Amino acid sequence: MTVDAIVIGAGFAGLYAVHRCVSEGLTVLGIEAAPSVGGTWDWNRYPGARCDVESVDYSYSFDEDLQSNWTWTERFAGQPEILAYLDHVADRFDLRRHYEFDTEVVGARFDVGEWVVQTSAGERRGRYLLCATGCLSTLNRPAIAGLTDFAGQVYYTAAWPREDPDLRGKKIGVIGTGSSGIQVVPILAAQAESLVVFQRSPNYTVPMPNHPWSEDDLQRIRQEYPDRRTRSAYAPAGTPHGTYHKSALETEPEEREEALWRRWRDGGVLFSKTFPDQTSVLAANDIARQFAEDRIRDIVIDPEVADDLIPTDHPIGTKRICTDAGYYDTFNRDTFRLVNLRREPIEAITTNGVRTASASYACDVLVFATGFDALTGAMTRIDPVGPGGDRLSEIWADGPVTFLGVMAPRLPNLFSFSGPGSPSVLANMVLHAEVQVDWAVDLMVAARHRGITEVEPRRDAARAWTDHVAEAAERTLFLKAQSSWYLGANIDGKKRVFMPYAGGFGNYRKYLDDAALMGYPGLVLTAR
Ligand code: FAD
Ligand code: NAP
């Protein structure tokens, strides 16, 4: 049987895609590798996993009843609560029955007007293929010499066991100091007999002043919700928060300091957007960077450890800024050790720990917080093949080429969400998922009304969009972070191209709106 749409993934994007398709009367099959819904929030169950966007914004906006009937308990929701929310959404809209879980898509080819999808459970066919496969869903498992010899337990933050392992009293080593490592470290430090953090690159992190929402907060939020959503809809990052009204360089030092303190105390990612020129003008960025450095030195007692924790290879915010619950404080404990891998690289993992160029560190447990083959990894693994025999991995060999960050040339009737060429990780990804899914499903519905069976981006239109994505990045400081996963630099052999669209969520959304309003001039529409 051929369904109208196959949706891969049951995270925020996939669940909404299934819901939208069903609402439009399309037949749909969802396929998900995990045993249940949740995507990111199902896989990343490590202790301390928490969202850095306020809960009331990092949630669906498409259904007012859903919005008003769900009560977020905290300002920044933890992984269990977000997973519970997605479970609730799946039940409320009866989405599970459309899914095959525990099923991996391993390939797909477009054959005589339909996608033939190879899965671990056999072949499935659909007229459209909607890839809600996630931007941070393909693990990076570094092949460190000796890992298979290690006699202790090994965990990956992004594939944390469903049954939380008891790590109390253990000697723990954590490899990786991105957002996941920085979140997990203080929690593990509280349980461990000793903890060693193996840091290759330090990252900036801003404390997260999380707190439970009070009844007053919730009442206020319910009242202001429509306005909050309106302000987010075309905002640069898809949240109601803007930047300071003046550029850093036009602001007097005292006023500047006050603005920075306000953002620092507000907590989280917003600090990287305190001033409008902070991510585009180096001198403005330096002001925020210096402020963050001073905060690290305020907290960390040992000045040499503080030096090791301060990034020197990128302007602040040009790698994803992290948010934490006491990360820097942890370094003031005696049982805690920071190992700077730039000074003493890992030589090998041994049966009982990690050997670097300078010392051996005994560990019972190794936790890898080593990130992802981000933005493209999940799609190139599937490696869809178009009607002309073109593979996505070939089409993207020199970097991802997309039309509006949702389609790729030579692959008709295929949409991919949260991926390269779209603001993706630079925006509130829940609203981002809604916007992309709506665009794709609206196009499918319009095609059905007009008897169109195939939709495919024109190659020149995809080239023009991809050039525009590159130009938008060049107007920012992002390209100065040479070790960033935004550029694919964390994966050996991956082409270094800045992948997200840095022109802002609101502007991106206008491009999508205009394409639809103008009748999709960038697409070839075919009736067969
Ligand atoms: P995902 O939630 O990644 O879902 C993709 C699903 O597709 C997965 O369940 C996967 O199993 C499935 N899949 C992929 N390939 C296949 C295949 N071949 N076959 C079958 N199934 C497949 N964003 C923010 O805005 N704020 C945050 O604070 C934030 N925190 C994060 C914390 C962590 C630890 C991580 C990893 C990411 C975080 N993100 C955050 C980004 C997050 O990924 C997005 O916000 C959002 O959840 C992505 O939803 P999605 O539906 O696009 O993809
Ligand atoms: P990440 O940012 O890519 O960090 C991976 C870390 O592992 C880096 O410190 C990296 O060092 C290190 N590493 C990789 N390979 C290594 C090796 N072979 N040896 C030693 N170190 C190695 O991954 P992440 O922390 O999972 O975060 C990814 C993204 O997910 C974030 O940027 C964010 O968008 C999202 N996220 C958000 C939150 C949140 O706050 N809500 C939490 C988790 C994740 P290098 O930097 O030198 O490569």
Side-chain angles (χ1 to χ4, degrees):
M1 174 192 151
T2 300
V3 292
D4 292 320
I6 290 180
V7 174
I8 313 173
F12 272 102
L15 289 176
Y16 182 55
V18 168
H19 173 65
R20 263 302 312 265
C21 286
V22 172
S23 307
E24 297 296 344
L26 300 166
T27 52
V28 60
L29 168 68
I31 303 176
E32 168 57 62
S36 187
V37 302
T40 290
W41 303 102
D42 181 57
W43 289 107
N44 294 266
R45 293 165 179 253
Y46 61 85
R50 189 173 289 285
C51 189
D52 59 11
V53 177
E54 285 178 290
S55 54
V56 291
D57 297 317
Y58 190 81
S59 46
Y60 289 119
S61 68
F62 70 87
D63 185 281
E64 273 184 29
D65 284 344
L66 168 67
Q67 188 168 278
S68 51
N69 288 332
W70 179 266
T71 304
W72 291 103
T73 64
E74 291 179 280
R75 182 169 171 226
F76 295 100
Q79 172 271 331
E81 190 169 19
I82 303 174
L83 185 58
Y85 171 76
L86 288 170
D87 268 326
H88 167 78
V89 169
D91 291 338
R92 185 181 175 100
F93 297 101
D94 196 14
L95 302 178
R96 278 178 227 276
R97 69 192 172 92
H98 301 286
Y99 272 95
E100 289 183 15
F101 291 105
D102 286 313
T103 305
E104 190 179 357
V105 173
V106 293
R109 63 172 203 284
F110 195 75
D111 188 25
V112 204
E114 62 186 26
W115 280 99
V116 182
V117 174
Q118 290 92 46
T119 82
S120 49
E123 216 167 72
R124 306 285 182 270
R125 288 166 185 266
R127 277 176 271 280
Y128 287 91
L129 183 58
L130 280 64
C131 302
T133 45
C135 48
L136 294 160
S137 55
T138 304
L139 262 70
N140 175 35
R141 297 175 192 258
I144 300 178
L147 179 56
T148 50
D149 300 333
F150 183 60
Q153 297 152 275
V154 174
Y155 298 107
Y156 290 83
T157 49
W160 200 258
R162 278 157 193 275
E163 193 141 331
D164 196 21
D166 183 0
L167 302 183
R168 279 175 299 181
K170 304 270 187 196
K171 296 188 193 79
I172 303 176
V174 175
I175 300 178
T177 50
S179 301
S180 303
I182 282 174
Q183 281 192 332
V184 82
V185 157
I187 314 292
L188 295 182
Q191 310 171 3
E193 179 193 305
S194 66
L195 186 72
V196 185
V197 171
F198 296 93
Q199 170 194 279
R200 192 164 66 182
S201 313
N203 242 310
Y204 291 101
T205 176
V206 180
M208 176 185 272
N210 195 24
H211 58 78
W213 288 123
S214 67
E215 210 21 72
D216 284 353
D217 289 332
L218 289 169
Q219 222 166 359
R220 173 181 51 79
I221 289 160
R222 272 186 210 111
Q223 271 165 9
E224 68 181 27
Y225 233 138
D227 176 54
R228 205 172 170 109
R229 292 301 199 182
T230 307
R231 278 187 286 138
S232 304
Y234 286 87
T239 69
H241 308 286
T243 59
Y244 195 63
H245 61 280
K246 279 197 275 184
S247 90
L249 299 178
E250 289 165 355
T251 311
E252 291 303 317
E254 209 172 298
E255 185 186 353
R256 214 153 62 190
E257 187 83 354
E258 203 182 304
L260 285 162
W261 268 115
R262 208 172 309 123
R263 270 292 157 96
W264 187 265
R265 291 194 178 110
D266 261 1
V269 284
L270 287 176
F271 184 79
S272 57
K273 294 161 199 151
T274 306
F275 296 105
D277 47 352
Q278 194 173 315
T279 50
S280 54
V281 178
L282 197 55
N285 189 282
D286 278 343
I287 291 165
R289 191 176 53 75
Q290 187 57 55
F291 180 92
E293 281 188 27
D294 292 346
R295 302 293 72 75
I296 298 173
R297 293 190 196 284
D298 285 349
I299 303 170
V300 180
I301 295 165
D302 182 335
E304 280 176 28
V305 176
D307 276 347
D308 280 346
L309 286 167
I310 293 172
T312 51
D313 67 346
H314 66 278
I316 191 165
T318 55
K319 284 173 93 171
R320 175 77 174 198
I321 207 164
C322 308
T323 55
D324 70 277
Y327 181 66
Y328 293 127
D329 279 322
T330 322
F331 293 88
N332 295 329
R333 294 190 199 178
D334 293 343
T335 50
F336 191 91
R337 179 91 191 243
L338 180 72
V339 174
N340 183 339
L341 298 180
R342 300 236 178 257
R343 263 204 308 272
E344 44 171 313
I346 295 178
E347 284 183 349
I349 291 173
T350 58
T351 45
N352 62 350
V354 177
R355 191 180 72 237
T356 69
S358 314
S360 287
Y361 300 92
C363 301
D364 310 315
V365 176
L366 284 178
V367 173
F368 284 83
T370 42
F372 303 87
D373 181 354
L375 291 150
T376 54
M379 286 300 295
T380 51
R381 261 194 184 187
I382 297 172
D383 209 9
V385 184
D390 302 294
R391 292 186 161 276
L392 181 67
S393 57
E394 293 159 4
I395 299 168
W396 284 2
D398 287 327
V401 179
T402 73
F403 177 64
L404 294 174
V406 232
M407 300 184 82
R410 293 179 266 172
L411 298 175
N413 294 9
L414 182 145
F415 301 99
S416 104
F417 307 124
S418 318
S422 67
S424 181
V425 287
L426 304 180
N428 172 353
M429 296 204 61
V430 180
L431 299 194
H432 188 279
E434 289 181 339
V435 164
Q436 288 194 318
V437 166
D438 281 340
W439 191 85
V441 177
D442 288 348
L443 170 56
M444 287 159 62
V445 170
R448 183 175 60 181
H449 285 317
R450 290 165 58 184
I452 286 159
T453 51
E454 280 179 33
V455 297
E456 182 185 339
R458 284 195 348 245
R459 292 181 198 185
D460 60 334
R463 193 65 261 163
W465 177 255
T466 304
D467 290 345
H468 175 62
V469 171
E471 283 156 17
E474 277 157 23
R475 287 195 293 270
T476 71
L477 299 171
F478 282 114
L479 300 180
K480 292 195 179 292
Q482 279 299 309
S483 66
S484 163
W485 59 259
Y486 293 160
L487 275 162
N490 62 329
I491 301 295
D492 287 343
K494 190 162 170 173
K495 185 83 185 171
R496 291 203 184 186
V497 173
F498 188 81
M499 294 178 284
Y501 174 57
F505 172 74
N507 290 336
Y508 173 71
R509 192 170 184 176
K510 283 185 205 139
Y511 279 107
L512 289 177
D513 292 349
D514 287 350
L517 277 171
M518 291 189 294
Y520 307 103
L523 299 180
V524 180
L525 307 174
T526 312
R528 288 195 206 278

